[in-house]
Amino acid sequence: MYRATTRGIRVTVEPLFLDDRSSPEDSRFFWAYTVEIENTGARTVQLRSRYWRITDGEGRLQEVRGAGVVGEEPVLAAGESFTYTSGCPLTTPSGIMSGWYQMEGDDGELFNVEIPAFSLDCPFTRRQLN
């Protein structure tokens, strides 16, 4: 589990390798990751956009930007949280993801919230590829 807090917004990420959606023989590796965004601050915020840096095991970088997450722009009052699950395919058995969410405070201020860097590792790589 990976965690970061920025300005009262705590982001927790838990990645999970999906063996049934992966095919190492075909250089296809797939992970699901579950993210919890928790407002530990005093003001209401809304998630407006996301930015991801996805780096595979050979150092190739992919950047992903977009509105909201999984089609939603959740509003979080103090003490509320929002959880979602998404996925990431790679052509290598390992990688790393990091990024940020752009949030908007109830006063109209826009600010970025860190998504902690987290590792994508295939637990069966040695057995399957050796």
Side-chain angles (χ1 to χ4, degrees), residues 1-4 10-16 32-37 52 84 97 101 114-120:
M1 193 172 314
Y2 302 82
R3 183 172 285 145
R10 182 170 45 221
V11 178
T12 305
V13 183
E14 188 165 358
L16 175 66
Y33 55 90
T34 299
V35 178
E36 179 184 32
I37 304 164
W52 287 105
Y84 73 95
M97 291 180 67
Y101 297 118
E114 177 188 2
I115 301 169
F118 59 96
S119 180
L120 303 172

Side-chain angles (χ1 to χ4, degrees), residues 16-24 30 122 124 127-128:
L16 175 66
F17 179 73
L18 298 180
D19 190 40
D20 63 331
R21 300 229 7 224
S22 300
S23 177
F30 195 88
C122 172
F124 310 111
R127 184 186 65 186
Q128 291 175 337

